[in-house]
Amino acid sequence: MPLKSEFNAEGGNDGVHDCSKITPTHYTTLSMSHLKKMEPIDIEFNDLTYTIPYGRKGSKVIISGVSGQFKAGELTAILGPSGAGKSTLLNILAGYRSTGVSGHVTVNGQAREAKLLKKLSCYIMQEDLLQPRLTVFEALQFAADLKLGNVSKETKIAAIEEVLEILRLKRAKDTVTERLSGGEKKRLSIALELVNNPAVIFLDEPTTGLDEISAAQCIDLLKSLTQLGRTVICSLHTPSASIFAKFDHTYVVAGGQCVYRGTVNNLVPFLRQVGIECPKHYNPADFVIEVSAGEYGSEWTNRMINAVNTELPIVPICRSKRHEFQLAKEMPKISWSDQFLILSRRMMLQLYRNKNYMYLKIGLHVFLGFIIGGLFLNVGNDGSKTLFNFGFCFACLILFLYVPMLPVLLQFPSEVQLVKREYFNMWYNLSPYYCAFTLINIPVQVLVSSIYLSMVYVITGQPMELFRCTMFFSVCFMCMFIAESMALAIASTLNIVNGTFVGPAISVPLMLLAVQGLGETQTLPIYRKLIMYLSYIRYGLEGLITALYGFNRENLYCPPSEIFCEFRAPRQILLTMQMEHVVFWVDFVALIIILILLKILTYYLLRQRLKPNRTFQALHLIGRLIKSHLNINT
């Protein structure tokens, strides 16, 4: 009996659709009522290949000439042993990975437009990345505000309530995301992308980390979404027999090649036709993965590849054209200002609820204020302790280097992963997010820094003149923002481990350059001055010393016990430190320029992290070449 007829006898599908039986409501009779309907999306790919650089050999093929179809109204599983390329295939189809890809991907018979497909689809990654300190309902509210555009509040609430009902999250609607169970987090990840009714849903191993019952419930949920006309595609790693049976279509890859594509019910007959029998009471998913991994011999894998190419050809999908497909191009895009306001509101709410962290920061600055203030007690007005006061200024700059930097290096890389997911799924643009993130952090940093500065300025006995106090505080604020921006630039590019190494390592030369030439009697050569002014700490140090001792300050008090008080005249300390010609406002403007440049650099690096240009793609390629070369040598 021919393979195709045996499949049909088992109740399979040979891929041919009768266009005459398809009506405009074929897949939309059960769709959600709160949003406009979209045309069912069928994805087809032909001769898809993906290569990466690999050591001295030049390149390594991860996906090799695969073809297939994923149809609307079907729940599709991409299976394969570890390293087979199933997640890579999913990333390519979703548009998450495009460099090094060749072949053709079509959407409803037309060449895929990456931007249009992103509007029609969502990509739910393996790790459940959720905004912390928000309830389920609040998280969905912000998602609806960002994704649904300028629709009425009633429509958004209806969308949220309907999604909560479909995903069985009503009982957890007031629960903070950090307290959700694994299954609830997975369902919330799906719910956040479901509020705008996407036609295609990509999921990378949605059952990972879930127990059998939660995994089954997750697949049941995805199955129900296909009944609403959606195309649901997910990669899986060794599903159980009961979960595997819930799928309509499966696509098995081994070594970057397709070894089976078709219905779940036809998998065992296909293996039998190839010549290998799946034992009774054995999970077909486990068995086909074992065969694909070569546990029964590599010849079976080659037979399956040949059988797929000869017996299961790709038949073009015939589907009637629908007007609703144009709605994707007409989707209202939320304005920049609305994105900024929504993101600012979300960040403020999260910041308000993170009270323990705020208390910790305030407590840390109070503690440091007492410690540093005690170490430099009353040195500000004592002419015999002027050099100690110089040490106090330098200690303040060091504090405003490390205290703002380290929390950013530890926290922001995780934030980048969240932004990467939301940005890819087109929640918002990068610029409103970056502006909101920058502005929301300013009041917090100014508050905790003011607490510290107010304490040490009084305890150390600095001059109680408003303009000197204002200049001192302003320079410290600028140095604090510069250190934070420098940390953001590092954390935008590197992970937590590398960032916590690179950040402090960069700070050491900045400190050494800042104190170069202090106390020397001869004028520094021009090249040493240029190197010295590469450090922003030098500008900050000059600004603080000038604020305290410049502007014709009166002579300082010297105790009667001091026979020789060298720095009784404030001008003397400026001469000794070679700062007699320093202009405060020049240093302050230099700090502002450095801050602006770092903010621009951070934005640029963050944008390249989310959407790299050719230069960064080339740098990334070089890095991978070096890494693979080192791995080969070791």
Side-chain angles (χ1 to χ4, degrees):
M1 181 182 295
L3 184 59
K4 188 178 293 185
S5 12
E6 182 177 359
F7 282 4
N8 290 336
E10 292 288 332
N13 190 328
D14 62 0
V16 179
H17 284 215
D18 185 359
C19 296
S20 62
K21 295 181 180 180
I22 299 176
T23 63
T25 58
H26 187 68
Y27 285 109
T28 56
T29 53
L30 296 175
S31 66
M32 292 191 295
S33 60
H34 64 275
L35 291 172
K36 295 179 180 179
K37 311 302 182 296
M38 291 197 182
E39 182 187 9
I41 300 299
D42 300 310
I43 297 177
E44 183 175 327
F45 51 99
N46 293 284
D47 199 24
L48 209 59
T49 300
Y50 175 67
T51 58
I52 61 172
Y54 187 73
R56 298 175 182 175
K57 297 180 180 179
S59 63
K60 180 180 179 181
V61 178
I62 304 298
I63 300 292
S64 178
V66 298
S67 302
Q69 293 173 337
F70 299 143
K71 303 169 187 174
E74 291 185 351
L75 177 59
T76 300
I78 302 177
L79 301 180
S82 297
K86 52 185 182 294
S87 293
T88 302
L89 176 60
L90 189 73
N91 290 339
I92 293 171
L93 295 177
Y96 193 73
R97 182 168 296 172
S98 57
T99 306
V101 178
S102 62
H104 304 283
V105 180
T106 59
V107 176
N108 284 3
Q110 301 177 4
R112 179 185 63 178
E113 295 181 38
K115 191 171 183 179
L116 178 59
L117 182 60
K118 286 182 181 180
K119 288 184 178 181
L120 295 167
S121 66
C122 66
Y123 184 25
I124 301 170
M125 301 176 185
Q126 180 177 347
E127 186 179 359
D128 297 320
L129 300 171
L130 301 172
Q131 291 289 345
R133 295 176 292 279
L134 295 177
T135 66
V136 170
F137 188 81
E138 289 168 345
L140 286 169
Q141 267 190 319
F142 286 116
D145 290 339
L146 289 167
K147 300 179 75 158
L148 295 184
N150 297 320
V151 301
S152 65
K153 185 177 180 180
E154 292 75 15
T155 303
K156 293 177 182 177
I157 296 297
I160 294 170
E161 293 293 342
E162 201 161 8
V163 169
L164 287 171
E165 183 70 33
I166 292 174
L167 280 85
R168 303 190 302 278
L169 284 171
K170 276 204 166 184
R171 292 184 179 179
K173 64 183 294 186
D174 296 322
T175 304
V176 179
T177 56
E178 296 166 319
R179 299 178 182 175
L180 296 174
S181 65
E184 289 171 334
K185 287 182 178 179
K186 183 62 66 177
R187 295 203 299 274
L188 178 57
S189 297
I190 299 172
L192 292 172
E193 305 300 340
L194 204 62
V195 292
N196 64 329
N197 197 21
V200 184
I201 303 175
F202 298 97
L203 303 101
D204 187 13
E205 302 198 14
T207 59
T208 298
L210 303 181
D211 57 66
E212 184 66 20
I213 295 176
S214 299
Q217 291 175 344
C218 179
I219 299 303
D220 285 336
L221 166 65
L222 298 178
K223 181 74 173 178
S224 66
L225 294 179
T226 62
Q227 297 172 3
L228 302 176
R230 293 174 178 80
T231 307
V232 182
I233 308 164
C234 55
S235 62
L236 286 179
H237 184 68
T238 60
S240 64
S242 59
I243 290 178
F244 184 60
K246 299 177 186 292
F247 285 87
D248 303 303
H249 183 266
T250 184
Y251 194 93
V252 185
V253 290
Q257 294 182 289
C258 177
V259 294
Y260 177 73
R261 55 179 180 237
T263 62
V264 171
N265 293 334
N266 291 333
L267 177 58
V268 174
F270 174 80
L271 293 172
R272 188 183 303 123
Q273 182 73 16
V274 170
I276 186 168
E277 186 71 32
C278 178
K280 290 184 178 180
H281 310 295
Y282 202 94
N283 182 3
D286 289 341
F287 185 72
V288 73
I289 290 174
E290 291 173 3
V291 175
S292 303
E295 293 190 14
Y296 299 93
S298 59
E299 67 275 7
W300 295 112
T301 304
N302 296 329
R303 288 189 185 184
M304 293 172 69
I305 293 172
N306 294 331
V308 166
N309 293 330
T310 57
E311 302 295 337
L312 296 174
I314 301 296
V315 179
I317 301 172
C318 182
R319 196 179 293 284
S320 59
K321 294 183 179 180
R322 302 184 184 195
H323 175 68
E324 289 85 348
F325 185 68
Q326 299 299 322
L327 291 175
K329 299 180 180 179
E330 301 168 4
M331 280 183 176
K333 187 171 179 61
I334 187 169
S335 66
W336 190 99
S337 58
D338 287 338
Q339 291 182 31
F340 171 78
L341 292 174
I342 294 168
L343 291 169
S344 299
R345 201 167 69 245
R346 186 176 75 175
M347 292 175 188
M348 290 178 62
L349 180 60
Q350 291 174 303
L351 186 63
Y352 172 76
R353 290 184 177 165
N354 198 9
K355 294 181 180 178
N356 291 335
Y357 179 66
M358 283 298 302
Y359 294 152
L360 180 63
K361 290 191 73 169
I362 293 174
L364 174 64
H365 282 77
V366 171
F367 172 76
L368 292 173
F370 280 118
I371 294 295
I372 294 179
L375 289 174
F376 299 96
L377 183 65
N378 293 325
V379 300
N381 287 317
D382 192 337
S384 64
K385 298 178 180 178
T386 303
L387 290 178
F388 292 99
N389 202 31
F390 176 85
F392 161 72
C393 294
F394 194 66
C396 287
L397 293 177
I398 300 306
L399 183 141
F400 285 118
L401 170 63
Y402 283 107
V403 172
M405 174 187 287
L406 294 178
V408 173
L409 295 177
L410 292 172
Q411 294 177 357
F412 195 65
S414 301
E415 176 79 8
V416 171
Q417 295 300 321
L418 244 173
V419 174
K420 197 172 183 180
R421 177 184 67 82
E422 294 178 344
Y423 178 81
F424 180 81
N425 287 323
M426 302 187 73
W427 286 37
Y428 47 76
N429 296 327
L430 179 59
S431 56
Y433 165 82
Y434 186 67
C435 291
F437 181 85
T438 300
L439 293 178
I440 293 300
N441 282 332
I442 290 177
V444 177
Q445 295 287 18
V446 170
L447 172 64
V448 295
S449 300
S450 298
I451 293 173
Y452 164 81
L453 289 172
S454 301
M455 292 177 62
V456 296
Y457 197 85
V458 174
I459 294 174
T460 58
Q462 303 303 328
M464 291 300 173
E465 300 176 58
L466 180 60
F467 81 97
R468 295 186 188 274
C469 180
T470 302
M471 288 191 293
F472 190 92
F473 276 48
S474 299
V475 171
C476 289
F477 288 156
M478 292 303 300
C479 291
M480 176 262 297
F481 287 129
I482 288 173
E484 182 189 48
S485 300
M486 188 167 60
L488 287 170
I490 296 170
S492 298
T493 307
L494 304 177
N495 58 27
I496 294 176
V497 175
N498 294 334
T500 50
F501 169 77
V502 171
I506 290 177
S507 66
V508 174
L510 290 176
M511 291 185 289
L512 295 177
L513 291 174
V515 296
Q516 184 184 188
L518 295 179
E520 293 190 15
T521 56
Q522 296 180 352
T523 305
L524 294 177
I526 186 65
Y527 74 91
R528 290 187 63 183
K529 284 188 176 181
L530 290 176
I531 295 174
M532 179 176 63
Y533 283 107
L534 291 176
S535 172
Y536 81 91
I537 298 179
R538 178 70 185 194
Y539 297 100
L541 193 58
E542 290 183 353
L544 294 183
I545 297 299
T546 305
L548 295 179
Y549 294 104
F551 301 98
N552 300 317
R553 183 179 176 181
E554 296 180 354
N555 288 345
L556 304 176
Y557 166 80
C558 284
S561 58
E562 294 291 333
I563 300 175
F564 177 67
C565 192
E566 180 182 2
F567 298 108
R568 179 185 184 91
R571 179 175 172 78
Q572 187 61 40
I573 186 68
L574 298 177
L575 290 171
T576 302
M577 298 300 171
Q578 295 192 2
M579 297 182 184
E580 68 275 15
H581 300 300
V582 168
V583 179
F584 174 83
W585 300 112
V586 172
D587 285 324
F588 191 74
V589 170
L591 290 174
I592 293 176
I593 293 173
I594 292 172
L595 177 61
I596 293 173
L597 291 176
L598 281 173
K599 287 296 182 184
I600 295 173
L601 176 64
T602 302
Y603 178 80
Y604 178 75
L605 292 175
L606 188 57
R607 185 170 186 82
Q608 298 311 313
R609 181 73 180 272
L610 302 179
K611 191 178 180 181
N613 58 21
R614 291 184 178 180
T615 302
F616 270 73
Q617 288 175 0
L619 292 174
H620 183 64
L621 181 63
I622 294 171
R624 292 169 68 177
L625 280 170
I626 296 173
K627 186 176 180 180
S628 62
H629 179 70
L630 292 175
N631 290 336
I632 291 173
N633 290 339
T634 54

